[in-house]
PDB file of all heavy atoms in Angstrom:
ATOM      1  N   ARG G   9      -6.230  -5.361  14.558  1.00  0.00           N
ATOM      2  CA  ARG G   9      -6.237  -5.986  15.871  1.00  0.00           C
ATOM      3  C   ARG G   9      -6.051  -7.477  15.733  1.00  0.00           C
ATOM      4  O   ARG G   9      -6.695  -8.163  14.907  1.00  0.00           O
ATOM      5  CB  ARG G   9      -7.626  -5.686  16.522  1.00  0.00           C
ATOM      6  CG  ARG G   9      -7.927  -4.208  16.680  1.00  0.00           C
ATOM      7  CD  ARG G   9      -6.887  -3.567  17.569  1.00  0.00           C
ATOM      8  NE  ARG G   9      -7.303  -2.233  17.962  1.00  0.00           N
ATOM      9  CZ  ARG G   9      -7.077  -1.122  17.211  1.00  0.00           C
ATOM     10  NH1 ARG G   9      -6.440  -1.225  16.078  1.00  0.00           N
ATOM     11  NH2 ARG G   9      -7.495   0.020  17.665  1.00  0.00           N
ATOM     12  N   LYS G  16     -14.218 -14.038  18.452  1.00  0.00           N
ATOM     13  CA  LYS G  16     -14.858 -13.178  17.453  1.00  0.00           C
ATOM     14  C   LYS G  16     -14.206 -11.829  17.356  1.00  0.00           C
ATOM     15  O   LYS G  16     -13.779 -11.299  18.370  1.00  0.00           O
ATOM     16  CB  LYS G  16     -16.387 -13.036  17.748  1.00  0.00           C
ATOM     17  CG  LYS G  16     -17.169 -14.297  17.563  1.00  0.00           C
ATOM     18  CD  LYS G  16     -18.652 -14.016  17.816  1.00  0.00           C
ATOM     19  CE  LYS G  16     -19.490 -15.261  17.616  1.00  0.00           C
ATOM     20  NZ  LYS G  16     -20.890 -15.012  17.878  1.00  0.00           N
ATOM     21  N   SER G  17     -14.186 -11.278  16.184  1.00  0.00           N
ATOM     22  CA  SER G  17     -13.639  -9.940  16.007  1.00  0.00           C
ATOM     23  C   SER G  17     -14.493  -8.926  16.674  1.00  0.00           C
ATOM     24  O   SER G  17     -15.734  -9.014  16.705  1.00  0.00           O
ATOM     25  CB  SER G  17     -13.564  -9.656  14.471  1.00  0.00           C
ATOM     26  OG  SER G  17     -13.198  -8.287  14.305  1.00  0.00           O
ATOM     27  N   THR G  18     -13.817  -7.909  17.269  1.00  0.00           N
ATOM     28  CA  THR G  18     -14.577  -6.828  17.939  1.00  0.00           C
ATOM     29  C   THR G  18     -15.079  -5.789  16.945  1.00  0.00           C
ATOM     30  O   THR G  18     -15.845  -4.883  17.300  1.00  0.00           O
ATOM     31  CB  THR G  18     -13.666  -6.105  18.960  1.00  0.00           C
ATOM     32  OG1 THR G  18     -12.530  -5.577  18.236  1.00  0.00           O
ATOM     33  CG2 THR G  18     -13.148  -7.102  19.985  1.00  0.00           C
ATOM     34  N   GLY G  19     -14.618  -5.894  15.694  1.00  0.00           N
ATOM     35  CA  GLY G  19     -15.018  -4.884  14.674  1.00  0.00           C
ATOM     36  C   GLY G  19     -14.229  -3.596  14.826  1.00  0.00           C
ATOM     37  O   GLY G  19     -14.625  -2.581  14.247  1.00  0.00           O
ATOM     38  N   ALA G  20     -13.172  -3.578  15.597  1.00  0.00           N
ATOM     39  CA  ALA G  20     -12.382  -2.372  15.794  1.00  0.00           C
ATOM     40  C   ALA G  20     -11.715  -1.984  14.474  1.00  0.00           C
ATOM     41  O   ALA G  20     -11.237  -2.834  13.751  1.00  0.00           O
ATOM     42  CB  ALA G  20     -11.330  -2.598  16.885  1.00  0.00           C
ATOM     43  N   PRO G  21     -11.652  -0.674  14.195  1.00  0.00           N
ATOM     44  CA  PRO G  21     -11.065  -0.225  12.921  1.00  0.00           C
ATOM     45  C   PRO G  21      -9.546  -0.481  12.898  1.00  0.00           C
ATOM     46  O   PRO G  21      -8.932  -0.638  13.923  1.00  0.00           O
ATOM     47  CB  PRO G  21     -11.326   1.284  12.895  1.00  0.00           C
ATOM     48  CG  PRO G  21     -12.398   1.487  13.923  1.00  0.00           C
ATOM     49  CD  PRO G  21     -12.223   0.433  14.981  1.00  0.00           C
ATOM     50  N   ASP G  22      -9.029  -0.606  11.689  1.00  0.00           N
ATOM     51  CA  ASP G  22      -7.608  -0.762  11.480  1.00  0.00           C
ATOM     52  C   ASP G  22      -6.904   0.585  11.714  1.00  0.00           C
ATOM     53  O   ASP G  22      -7.514   1.610  11.800  1.00  0.00           O
ATOM     54  CB  ASP G  22      -7.328  -1.254  10.049  1.00  0.00           C
ATOM     55  CG  ASP G  22      -7.897  -2.608   9.803  1.00  0.00           C
ATOM     56  OD1 ASP G  22      -7.972  -3.387  10.784  1.00  0.00           O
ATOM     57  OD2 ASP G  22      -8.288  -2.866   8.628  1.00  0.00           O
TER      58      ASP G  22
END
Side-chain angles (χ1 to χ4, degrees):
R9 301 299 192 274
K16 291 184 179 179
S17 171
T18 61
D22 296 329

